[in-house]
Amino acid sequence: MNASAHRLGKWSIILLQVLLWVVFYLLLLLYTSNKWNHALFGFLNTTIATASYMVATYVHAFWLIPRFLYSNKLTAYLLYSFFFLAILILLRMWAEKIFLLPLHQKFYAFQWAHISFTCITVMVAFLFGALLRVFYNYLKLIQVKNELQSRQAETELNLLKAQVQPHFLFNTLNNIYSLAHSRSEKTPEMIARLSELMRYFIDETPRKTVFIDAELNFIKNYIQLEQIRMLNPVKVSWHINTISKNKHIPPMLLIPFIENVFKHGVDKSKNFNGVAITLNEVDGQVLYKVENTVKEEKETTSGSGLFNLQKRLELLYGDRYLLHTKLENGWYIAELIFPLYAD
Protein backbone atom coordinates (compact mmCIF):
# COMPACT_ATOMS: atom_id res chain seq x y z
CA MET A 1 0.00 0.00 0.00
CA ASN A 2 1.51 3.32 -1.04
CA ALA A 3 1.53 6.47 1.11
CA SER A 4 -1.33 8.21 -0.70
CA ALA A 5 -3.58 5.15 -0.41
CA HIS A 6 -2.69 4.85 3.29
CA ARG A 7 -3.58 8.51 3.91
CA LEU A 8 -6.83 8.11 1.99
CA GLY A 9 -7.78 5.08 4.09
CA LYS A 10 -6.90 6.92 7.31
CA TRP A 11 -9.01 9.94 6.41
CA SER A 12 -11.90 7.69 5.37
CA ILE A 13 -11.92 6.11 8.83
CA ILE A 14 -11.81 9.53 10.52
CA LEU A 15 -14.65 10.86 8.38
CA LEU A 16 -16.71 7.75 9.12
CA GLN A 17 -16.30 8.30 12.86
CA VAL A 18 -17.20 11.97 12.54
CA LEU A 19 -20.31 11.04 10.57
CA LEU A 20 -21.38 8.47 13.18
CA TRP A 21 -20.93 10.93 16.05
CA VAL A 22 -22.88 13.62 14.19
CA VAL A 23 -25.74 11.20 13.50
CA PHE A 24 -25.72 10.06 17.13
CA TYR A 25 -25.72 13.67 18.37
CA LEU A 26 -28.63 14.68 16.14
CA LEU A 27 -30.72 11.65 17.12
CA LEU A 28 -30.06 12.25 20.82
CA LEU A 29 -30.85 15.95 20.39
CA LEU A 30 -34.14 15.09 18.71
CA TYR A 31 -35.01 12.70 21.54
CA THR A 32 -34.16 15.03 24.44
CA SER A 33 -35.79 18.07 22.85
CA ASN A 34 -39.05 16.21 22.34
CA LYS A 35 -38.94 14.47 25.72
CA TRP A 36 -38.52 17.63 27.79
CA ASN A 37 -40.20 19.96 25.30
CA HIS A 38 -37.44 22.51 25.77
CA ALA A 39 -34.90 23.31 23.01
CA LEU A 40 -32.22 24.74 25.32
CA PHE A 41 -32.52 21.76 27.67
CA GLY A 42 -32.19 19.35 24.75
CA PHE A 43 -29.09 21.11 23.41
CA LEU A 44 -27.28 21.28 26.77
CA ASN A 45 -28.23 17.73 27.72
CA THR A 46 -27.11 16.29 24.39
CA THR A 47 -23.84 18.25 24.27
CA ILE A 48 -22.72 17.28 27.78
CA ALA A 49 -23.70 13.63 27.33
CA THR A 50 -22.07 13.27 23.90
CA ALA A 51 -18.86 14.90 25.11
CA SER A 52 -18.65 12.41 28.01
CA TYR A 53 -19.30 9.48 25.66
CA MET A 54 -16.56 10.59 23.27
CA VAL A 55 -14.03 11.04 26.07
CA ALA A 56 -14.88 7.61 27.53
CA THR A 57 -14.62 5.92 24.12
CA TYR A 58 -11.35 7.42 22.89
CA VAL A 59 -9.43 7.48 26.17
CA HIS A 60 -10.20 3.79 26.61
CA ALA A 61 -9.40 2.89 22.99
CA PHE A 62 -6.21 4.90 22.49
CA TRP A 63 -4.70 5.35 25.93
CA LEU A 64 -5.80 2.86 28.56
CA ILE A 65 -5.78 -0.27 26.39
CA PRO A 66 -2.49 0.31 24.48
CA ARG A 67 -0.69 1.90 27.46
CA PHE A 68 -1.56 -0.66 30.12
CA LEU A 69 -3.49 -3.67 28.83
CA TYR A 70 -1.15 -4.33 25.88
CA SER A 71 1.83 -3.99 28.24
CA ASN A 72 0.48 -6.75 30.50
CA LYS A 73 -0.17 -4.23 33.29
CA LEU A 74 -3.61 -5.53 34.20
CA THR A 75 -3.66 -4.10 37.73
CA ALA A 76 -2.65 -0.65 36.53
CA TYR A 77 -5.23 -0.88 33.74
CA LEU A 78 -8.03 -1.66 36.21
CA LEU A 79 -6.99 1.08 38.64
CA TYR A 80 -6.57 3.77 36.00
CA SER A 81 -9.85 2.74 34.38
CA PHE A 82 -11.69 2.98 37.72
CA PHE A 83 -10.29 6.42 38.56
CA PHE A 84 -10.81 7.66 35.01
CA LEU A 85 -14.48 6.58 34.99
CA ALA A 86 -15.08 7.99 38.46
CA ILE A 87 -13.64 11.39 37.51
CA LEU A 88 -15.48 11.46 34.18
CA ILE A 89 -18.83 10.57 35.80
CA LEU A 90 -18.40 13.21 38.51
CA LEU A 91 -17.44 15.87 35.95
CA ARG A 92 -20.46 15.07 33.81
CA MET A 93 -22.83 15.13 36.79
CA TRP A 94 -21.30 18.40 38.01
CA ALA A 95 -21.75 19.98 34.55
CA GLU A 96 -25.33 18.73 34.34
CA LYS A 97 -26.09 20.11 37.82
CA ILE A 98 -24.75 23.54 36.87
CA PHE A 99 -26.43 23.83 33.47
CA LEU A 100 -29.50 21.60 33.75
CA LEU A 101 -30.62 21.76 37.38
CA PRO A 102 -32.41 25.10 36.90
CA LEU A 103 -34.39 23.50 34.08
CA HIS A 104 -35.17 20.22 35.85
CA GLN A 105 -34.99 20.33 39.63
CA LYS A 106 -35.81 16.71 40.38
CA PHE A 107 -33.39 14.70 38.19
CA TYR A 108 -30.05 16.61 38.18
CA ALA A 109 -29.54 17.09 41.92
CA PHE A 110 -27.23 14.10 42.44
CA GLN A 111 -30.20 11.82 43.05
CA TRP A 112 -29.83 8.04 42.69
CA ALA A 113 -31.57 8.09 39.31
CA HIS A 114 -29.09 10.70 38.09
CA ILE A 115 -26.08 8.73 39.39
CA SER A 116 -27.19 5.35 38.03
CA PHE A 117 -28.16 6.74 34.62
CA THR A 118 -24.83 8.54 34.23
CA CYS A 119 -22.79 5.51 35.34
CA ILE A 120 -24.59 3.15 32.99
CA THR A 121 -24.36 5.35 29.89
CA VAL A 122 -20.69 6.26 30.46
CA MET A 123 -19.84 2.59 31.03
CA VAL A 124 -21.53 1.65 27.76
CA ALA A 125 -19.46 4.28 25.94
CA PHE A 126 -16.37 2.96 27.74
CA LEU A 127 -17.10 -0.55 26.40
CA PHE A 128 -17.57 0.87 22.91
CA GLY A 129 -13.99 2.12 23.25
CA ALA A 130 -12.86 -1.50 23.51
CA LEU A 131 -14.83 -2.36 20.35
CA LEU A 132 -13.26 0.61 18.59
CA ARG A 133 -9.81 -0.65 19.60
CA VAL A 134 -10.59 -4.10 18.20
CA PHE A 135 -11.77 -2.53 14.94
CA TYR A 136 -8.66 -0.32 14.79
CA ASN A 137 -6.38 -3.33 15.36
CA TYR A 138 -8.20 -5.24 12.63
CA LEU A 139 -7.61 -2.42 10.14
CA LYS A 140 -3.94 -2.26 11.13
CA LEU A 141 -3.66 -6.01 10.61
CA ILE A 142 -5.15 -5.72 7.13
CA GLN A 143 -2.77 -2.87 6.32
CA VAL A 144 0.26 -4.88 7.45
CA LYS A 145 -0.97 -7.90 5.49
CA ASN A 146 -1.39 -5.81 2.34
CA GLU A 147 2.07 -4.28 2.76
CA LEU A 148 3.62 -7.73 3.21
CA GLN A 149 1.81 -9.05 0.14
CA SER A 150 2.91 -6.01 -1.85
CA ARG A 151 6.54 -6.46 -0.79
CA GLN A 152 6.38 -10.17 -1.54
CA ALA A 153 4.90 -9.51 -4.98
CA GLU A 154 7.57 -6.89 -5.70
CA THR A 155 10.29 -9.30 -4.59
CA GLU A 156 8.92 -12.05 -6.81
CA LEU A 157 8.70 -9.65 -9.74
CA ASN A 158 12.31 -8.63 -9.27
CA LEU A 159 13.38 -12.27 -9.08
CA LEU A 160 11.47 -13.16 -12.23
CA LYS A 161 12.87 -10.11 -14.01
CA ALA A 162 16.38 -11.03 -12.87
CA GLN A 163 15.95 -14.55 -14.24
CA VAL A 164 15.50 -13.16 -17.75
CA GLN A 165 18.83 -11.36 -17.87
CA PRO A 166 21.24 -14.17 -16.87
CA HIS A 167 19.35 -16.62 -19.09
CA PHE A 168 19.68 -14.32 -22.07
CA LEU A 169 23.28 -13.35 -21.33
CA PHE A 170 24.43 -16.95 -21.03
CA ASN A 171 22.95 -17.76 -24.43
CA THR A 172 24.49 -14.68 -26.03
CA LEU A 173 27.92 -15.25 -24.50
CA ASN A 174 27.86 -18.83 -25.76
CA ASN A 175 27.10 -17.52 -29.24
CA ILE A 176 29.94 -15.00 -29.03
CA TYR A 177 32.28 -17.71 -27.82
CA SER A 178 31.37 -19.89 -30.81
CA LEU A 179 31.94 -17.02 -33.22
CA ALA A 180 35.23 -16.06 -31.60
CA HIS A 181 36.37 -19.68 -31.64
CA SER A 182 35.68 -19.89 -35.38
CA ARG A 183 37.31 -16.44 -35.88
CA SER A 184 34.11 -15.09 -37.42
CA GLU A 185 34.02 -11.50 -38.69
CA LYS A 186 30.64 -11.14 -36.98
CA THR A 187 32.19 -11.23 -33.51
CA PRO A 188 32.80 -7.42 -33.12
CA GLU A 189 29.28 -6.60 -34.33
CA MET A 190 27.78 -9.12 -31.94
CA ILE A 191 29.74 -7.64 -29.03
CA ALA A 192 28.51 -4.15 -29.99
CA ARG A 193 24.89 -5.32 -30.03
CA LEU A 194 25.36 -7.00 -26.69
CA SER A 195 26.73 -3.73 -25.30
CA GLU A 196 23.54 -1.91 -26.36
CA LEU A 197 21.40 -4.53 -24.70
CA MET A 198 23.46 -4.34 -21.53
CA ARG A 199 22.85 -0.58 -21.47
CA TYR A 200 19.12 -1.31 -21.57
CA PHE A 201 19.48 -3.76 -18.70
CA ILE A 202 21.31 -1.19 -16.59
CA ASP A 203 19.25 1.92 -17.44
CA GLU A 204 15.72 0.63 -18.00
CA THR A 205 15.04 -2.72 -16.34
CA PRO A 206 15.38 -1.36 -12.76
CA ARG A 207 12.38 0.88 -13.51
CA LYS A 208 8.85 -0.26 -12.86
CA THR A 209 7.74 0.86 -16.33
CA VAL A 210 9.37 1.91 -19.61
CA PHE A 211 8.08 3.51 -22.77
CA ILE A 212 7.04 1.06 -25.44
CA ASP A 213 9.51 2.56 -27.94
CA ALA A 214 12.39 1.66 -25.61
CA GLU A 215 11.11 -1.91 -25.28
CA LEU A 216 10.73 -2.21 -29.07
CA ASN A 217 14.28 -0.96 -29.65
CA PHE A 218 15.48 -3.58 -27.20
CA ILE A 219 13.58 -6.28 -29.12
CA LYS A 220 15.02 -5.11 -32.44
CA ASN A 221 18.56 -5.23 -31.06
CA TYR A 222 17.89 -8.67 -29.65
CA ILE A 223 16.63 -9.92 -33.02
CA GLN A 224 19.64 -8.49 -34.83
CA LEU A 225 21.89 -10.16 -32.29
CA GLU A 226 20.21 -13.49 -32.92
CA GLN A 227 20.25 -13.00 -36.69
CA ILE A 228 24.02 -12.66 -36.71
CA ARG A 229 24.48 -16.29 -35.72
CA MET A 230 21.89 -17.61 -38.20
CA LEU A 231 23.08 -19.27 -41.40
CA ASN A 232 19.76 -18.33 -43.00
CA PRO A 233 18.42 -15.19 -41.30
CA VAL A 234 14.85 -15.26 -40.10
CA LYS A 235 12.44 -13.17 -42.14
CA VAL A 236 10.81 -10.74 -39.70
CA SER A 237 7.70 -8.72 -40.56
CA TRP A 238 6.52 -5.91 -38.31
CA HIS A 239 2.92 -4.74 -37.91
CA ILE A 240 2.99 -1.96 -35.35
CA ASN A 241 0.26 0.65 -35.06
CA THR A 242 0.87 4.03 -33.48
CA ILE A 243 0.83 3.85 -29.69
CA SER A 244 0.45 6.99 -27.58
CA LYS A 245 3.80 8.46 -26.58
CA ASN A 246 2.79 8.80 -22.91
CA LYS A 247 1.97 5.10 -22.58
CA HIS A 248 4.39 2.66 -20.98
CA ILE A 249 4.67 -0.96 -19.86
CA PRO A 250 6.75 -3.05 -17.45
CA PRO A 251 10.25 -3.72 -18.85
CA MET A 252 11.14 -7.08 -20.39
CA LEU A 253 7.47 -7.98 -20.81
CA LEU A 254 7.50 -8.40 -24.61
CA ILE A 255 10.82 -10.16 -25.05
CA PRO A 256 9.80 -13.71 -23.90
CA PHE A 257 7.74 -14.23 -27.09
CA ILE A 258 10.74 -13.27 -29.23
CA GLU A 259 13.16 -15.32 -27.17
CA ASN A 260 10.83 -18.30 -27.52
CA VAL A 261 10.97 -17.91 -31.31
CA PHE A 262 14.74 -18.27 -31.54
CA LYS A 263 15.05 -20.86 -28.78
CA HIS A 264 12.23 -23.21 -29.79
CA GLY A 265 10.72 -22.11 -33.09
CA VAL A 266 13.57 -21.61 -35.51
CA ASP A 267 14.60 -24.62 -37.59
CA LYS A 268 18.23 -23.98 -38.53
CA SER A 269 18.11 -26.73 -41.11
CA LYS A 270 15.53 -24.85 -43.19
CA ASN A 271 16.22 -22.06 -45.63
CA PHE A 272 13.11 -20.18 -44.52
CA ASN A 273 11.97 -19.23 -41.04
CA GLY A 274 9.33 -16.55 -40.67
CA VAL A 275 8.26 -14.34 -37.79
CA ALA A 276 5.37 -11.84 -37.76
CA ILE A 277 5.21 -9.34 -34.89
CA THR A 278 1.98 -7.39 -34.30
CA LEU A 279 1.54 -4.65 -31.72
CA ASN A 280 -1.60 -2.54 -31.37
CA GLU A 281 -3.24 -0.29 -28.78
CA VAL A 282 -6.98 -0.70 -28.33
CA ASP A 283 -8.95 1.02 -25.55
CA GLY A 284 -5.94 1.46 -23.30
CA GLN A 285 -4.69 -2.09 -23.77
CA VAL A 286 -1.78 -3.65 -25.65
CA LEU A 287 -2.62 -6.33 -28.19
CA TYR A 288 0.65 -8.17 -28.79
CA LYS A 289 0.97 -11.18 -31.09
CA VAL A 290 4.00 -13.08 -32.35
CA GLU A 291 3.64 -15.76 -35.05
CA ASN A 292 6.53 -17.95 -36.14
CA THR A 293 7.16 -21.07 -38.15
CA VAL A 294 8.01 -24.16 -36.12
CA LYS A 295 10.19 -27.21 -36.61
CA GLU A 296 7.35 -29.70 -36.36
CA GLU A 297 3.73 -28.98 -35.53
CA LYS A 298 3.67 -31.69 -32.88
CA GLU A 299 6.73 -30.31 -31.10
CA THR A 300 6.36 -28.24 -27.95
CA THR A 301 7.48 -24.69 -28.68
CA SER A 302 7.37 -23.01 -25.30
CA GLY A 303 9.78 -22.99 -22.40
CA SER A 304 10.56 -21.45 -19.03
CA GLY A 305 10.47 -17.94 -20.52
CA LEU A 306 6.72 -18.10 -21.12
CA PHE A 307 6.16 -19.68 -17.71
CA ASN A 308 8.03 -16.81 -16.03
CA LEU A 309 6.09 -14.36 -18.18
CA GLN A 310 2.80 -15.76 -16.94
CA LYS A 311 3.96 -15.49 -13.32
CA ARG A 312 4.93 -11.87 -13.86
CA LEU A 313 1.60 -11.10 -15.49
CA GLU A 314 -0.28 -12.61 -12.56
CA LEU A 315 1.67 -10.49 -10.09
CA LEU A 316 1.34 -7.33 -12.17
CA TYR A 317 -2.25 -7.55 -13.38
CA GLY A 318 -4.05 -10.32 -11.49
CA ASP A 319 -6.80 -11.44 -13.86
CA ARG A 320 -6.62 -8.31 -16.04
CA TYR A 321 -4.61 -9.94 -18.82
CA LEU A 322 -5.03 -12.62 -21.47
CA LEU A 323 -2.23 -14.97 -22.56
CA HIS A 324 -2.93 -17.53 -25.24
CA THR A 325 -0.72 -19.80 -27.38
CA LYS A 326 -1.59 -22.29 -30.12
CA LEU A 327 -0.22 -24.24 -33.08
CA GLU A 328 -1.98 -23.64 -36.38
CA ASN A 329 -0.98 -24.72 -39.89
CA GLY A 330 2.71 -25.00 -39.08
CA TRP A 331 2.82 -21.67 -37.22
CA TYR A 332 3.13 -21.11 -33.51
CA ILE A 333 0.97 -18.16 -32.37
CA ALA A 334 1.41 -16.40 -29.04
CA GLU A 335 -1.04 -13.63 -28.10
CA LEU A 336 -0.98 -11.31 -25.12
CA ILE A 337 -3.42 -8.57 -24.04
CA PHE A 338 -2.68 -6.40 -21.00
CA PRO A 339 -3.37 -2.84 -19.77
CA LEU A 340 -1.16 0.10 -20.62
CA TYR A 341 0.16 2.52 -18.03
CA ALA A 342 -0.27 6.23 -18.68
CA ASP A 343 1.61 9.25 -17.29
Side-chain angles (χ1 to χ4, degrees), residues 42-101:
F43 170 75
L44 292 174
N45 181 285
T46 301
T47 301
I48 294 172
T50 303
S52 68
Y53 299 151
M54 293 180 67
V55 172
T57 299
Y58 288 107
V59 169
H60 191 202
F62 297 104
W63 185 63
L64 289 171
I65 291 178
R67 179 71 180 273
F68 301 106
L69 197 58
Y70 287 171
S71 301
N72 295 322
K73 300 177 181 177
L74 181 59
T75 302
Y77 167 75
L78 294 174
L79 288 175
Y80 275 95
S81 296
F82 174 79
F83 286 114
F84 164 71
L85 288 171
I87 293 171
L88 180 61
I89 290 170
L90 288 174
L91 286 175
R92 173 179 166 178
M93 293 178 65
W94 174 78
E96 288 175 336
K97 180 179 179 181
I98 292 177
F99 293 103
L100 301 177
L101 185 61

Side-chain angles (χ1 to χ4, degrees), residues 11 17 19 24 45 66 76 91 131 196 202 220 227 333 342:
W11 278 108
Q17 293 180 66
L19 178 62
F24 173 81
N45 181 285
L91 286 175
L131 295 178
E196 293 182 17
I202 294 171
K220 290 175 181 178
Q227 295 277 41
I333 302 172

